[in-house]
Amino acid sequence: MKKILITGGAGFIGSHVVRRFVNRYPNYQIYNLDALTYAGNLENITDIENAPHYTFVKGDITDADFIHALFEKHRFDGVLHLAAESHVDRSITDPLAFVKTNVIGTMNLLNAAKAIWKDNFEGKRFYHISTDEVYGSLGATGLFTETTPYDPNSPYSASKASSDHFVRAYGETYGLPYVITNCSNNYGPNHFPEKLIPLFINNIINNKPLPVYGDGKYTRDWLFVEDHAVAIDLVFHEGKNHETYNIGGFNEWQNIDLVKLLCQQMDKKLGRADGESAKLITYVKDRPGHDLRYAIDASKINKELGWEPSVTFEQGLEKTIDWYLANEAWLKNVTSGDYQKYYEQQYDKQQS
Ligand code: NAD
Ligand code: TYD
C-alpha cells in the first residue's frame, strides 16, 4: 500500500485535496500533516476524519527533527506539499514567518525525503504546490507560461519562488523526482476570510465596508478550488518528473468588476434590493508593491494531461456564496478572536 503525505491538509486548498485523495484512493494510506495555524481548521475535513486509510498528524514543518522522524517512521512514497503561509498582506507585516514556513519548512521536507529515499527514487515523487505570483506582475497583455522568468515582488511570492528553486535544485543535484505546479488565485468553500472573496462575502453578510485596494483595477485569474484539486490529482499521478505545470482558470477579472458581480449575487441570495451591497464598496489605501495583473497560460496541462476547469466563474461564485451562507457557524468561528485583531490592524488602523 502506498503511503502519501499531504502537508497543509487542514487549510483551504489542502482540505479539498485531502478529501479528494481519501475518497478516490482507498488503496493509499494518507497522512495529513498540519500545524493548525490560524489558517488550518479540522472543521474543514470532518467528513473524512474517520476513514480507515486516513491519519491526521499535528506538526510543524519548520521542526527538522520532527519531520525527519516522521519520514523515518512512515517512509512515505509520495509527498504533496501545500503547507505554507499564504497571505500577501501578512507577508508584508511579518516576512520572516514566510521564510520560516515556506523556505525552511520546504527544505526540511526535501531533506527528509532525500535522506529516507536515498538513491532509490523508484516510484517516489515530491510534489510542490506553488503559485503564479513567483512570475511577478504582468502589464496589460501577455500570459505567464512555464518558461516565464521568476520575478517575485512580495515577501510571500519571494518565499514561494525560493522554495520552488530549492525543489528544482534537489531535482538537479540529487536526482530527487519532483513536480511543481504554479496556480492562479483560488476561490471556493473553506477559504479563510482574509483573502478578497471570502472577506468580502463575510463583510456583505455583516453590512461592513468592502475595502477595495487602490483603484480596484488590479487583475487576477480566478480558479474554483475543486478544479485545482482535480489538477493536483492529475499532475501527481500523470505529470512528468522534473516538470512544471501552470494551472489557471482562463478567467481574468479586475477586482472592482469581480466585487460588483459578487455584490449582485449576494443581493439576490440575501433578498436585498439590487445595488444594496455595492453601496458598501470603499476604496482604501493601496497594498505596497501591489502586482498589477496575473494571468496564466494553462495550455501545457491542458494539452499534456487533458485538464480544464469544470465550472464557469459565475457558477463557482454561486457555489461559494451558497457554502458560506450554509456554514454560518464555520464563518463565525474563524472570524472570532485573533481574526478581529488582524482585521483591526490591517483595515481599521492602517487604511485611510
Ligand atoms: P492556507 O493558508 O489556507 O492553508 C495553509 C495550511 O498550512 C494551513 O492548514 C496551516 O495550518 C498549514 N501550515 C502553515 N504553516 C505550517 C507549518 N509550519 N507546518 C505545518 N503546517 C502549516 O493556504 P492555501 O490557500 O490553502 O494554500 C495552500 C498552498 O497552495 C500554499 O502552498 C500556497 O502557496 C499555494 N497556492 C495558493 C493559492 C491560493 O489562491 N490560495 C494559489 C496558488 C497556490
Ligand atoms: P488576495 O485575495 O489577497 O490574493 P493575492 O494578493 O494573492 O492575489 O487579493 C486579491 C486581489 O484583491 C489583490 O489585487 C488585492 C485585492 N484586495 C483588495 O482590494 N482588498 C482586500 O481587502 C483584499 C484582501 C485584497
Side-chain angles (χ1 to χ4, degrees):
M1 188 183 244
K2 279 203 163 195
K3 289 190 172 181
I4 306 295
L5 175 68
I6 301 178
T7 72
F12 166 47
I13 302 172
S15 61
H16 290 268
V17 172
V18 164
R19 176 175 301 105
R20 185 173 174 87
F21 271 63
V22 168
N23 288 335
R24 279 176 64 101
Y25 302 109
N27 54 327
Y28 289 169
Q29 197 62 44
I30 295 162
Y31 295 82
N32 174 8
L33 169 65
D34 197 299
L36 300 180
T37 69
Y38 78 92
N41 189 347
L42 288 176
E43 282 180 51
N44 291 341
I45 37 174
T46 46
D47 54 326
I48 49 105
E49 68 189 2
N50 293 321
H53 59 301
Y54 169 75
T55 308
F56 178 74
V57 182
K58 184 171 186 301
D60 192 332
I61 58 169
T62 66
D63 181 343
D65 293 342
F66 162 75
I67 292 296
H68 188 86
L70 190 73
F71 273 71
E72 212 158 43
K73 183 170 174 200
H74 298 296
R75 313 196 81 79
F76 305 113
D77 300 287
V79 178
L80 288 96
H81 175 34
L82 294 101
E85 287 293 337
S86 68
H87 190 41
V88 172
D89 291 327
R90 289 185 195 255
S91 83
I92 294 169
T93 43
D94 186 9
L96 199 56
F98 285 67
V99 176
K100 285 183 185 149
T101 293
N102 299 358
V103 185
I104 310 284
T106 303
M107 288 295 294
N108 289 338
L109 293 166
L110 287 169
N111 282 334
K114 174 175 163 283
I116 298 305
W117 295 343
K118 299 209 172 65
D119 289 329
N120 186 5
F121 293 133
E122 188 59 35
K124 306 289 191 282
R125 172 159 277 185
F126 190 102
Y127 179 1
H128 188 228
I129 283 81
S130 191
T131 166
D132 61 350
E133 303 189 24
V134 298
Y135 298 122
S137 182
L138 291 163
T141 58
L143 298 171
F144 296 134
T145 72
E146 287 78 2
T147 56
T148 301
Y150 276 32
D151 189 19
N153 292 314
S154 73
Y156 165 64
S157 54
S159 70
K160 291 297 289 188
S162 173
S163 50
D164 285 5
H165 286 322
F166 274 113
V167 173
R168 272 196 198 93
Y170 272 55
E172 294 307 311
T173 310
Y174 309 113
L176 190 94
Y178 75 86
V179 279
I180 297 174
T181 50
N182 298 91
C183 186
S184 64
N185 288 61
N186 284 218
Y187 70 98
N190 312 96
H191 207 182
F192 191 81
E194 62 188 350
K195 308 280 189 341
L196 178 73
I197 292 179
L199 188 141
F200 279 36
I201 290 175
N202 185 44
N203 284 14
I204 292 170
I205 292 171
N206 294 299
N207 262 307
K208 286 178 65 176
L210 305 177
V212 174
Y213 296 161
D215 62 5
K217 299 220 166 120
Y218 295 91
T219 300
R220 299 291 183 264
D221 170 1
W222 294 92
L223 178 67
F224 191 57
V225 64
E226 283 172 18
D227 281 330
H228 190 188
V230 171
I232 289 173
D233 183 352
L234 206 57
V235 170
F236 183 70
H237 289 99
E238 293 176 31
K240 283 199 209 113
N241 278 334
H242 297 231
E243 292 271 336
T244 288
Y245 300 86
N246 280 354
I247 306 172
F250 306 100
N251 178 43
E252 282 184 54
W253 287 80
Q254 279 195 352
N255 292 340
I256 190 62
D257 296 334
L258 184 162
V259 169
K260 284 180 182 161
L261 175 68
L262 180 65
C263 287
Q264 264 174 17
Q265 287 203 358
M266 290 290 291
D267 281 342
K268 279 204 198 109
K269 296 283 176 188
L270 294 170
R272 292 183 184 167
D274 195 26
E276 197 59 29
S277 299
K279 289 184 193 153
L280 299 167
I281 293 173
T282 313
Y283 290 91
V284 299
K285 199 169 108 195
D286 211 348
R287 171 188 282 174
H290 200 164
D291 285 335
L292 177 68
R293 177 172 165 259
Y294 305 141
I296 282 275
D297 178 350
S299 49
K300 178 175 171 182
I301 188 172
N302 175 259
K303 283 202 193 96
E304 293 188 13
L305 305 181
W307 175 87
E308 60 184 3
S310 71
V311 292
T312 65
F313 189 54
E314 285 78 359
Q315 289 166 335
L317 200 56
E318 191 176 351
K319 282 180 186 227
T320 305
I321 294 169
D322 287 344
W323 186 86
Y324 280 91
L325 293 178
N327 289 275
E328 223 179 305
W330 183 96
L331 198 51
K332 280 229 162 71
N333 279 347
V334 301
T335 53
S336 60
D338 284 351
Y339 181 82
Q340 296 298 330
K341 272 188 235 146
Y342 167 76
Y343 200 91
E344 198 187 309
Q345 277 307 119
Q346 180 64 28
Y347 295 96
D348 300 341
K349 283 204 183 134
Q350 288 184 10
Q351 310 290 352
S352 55

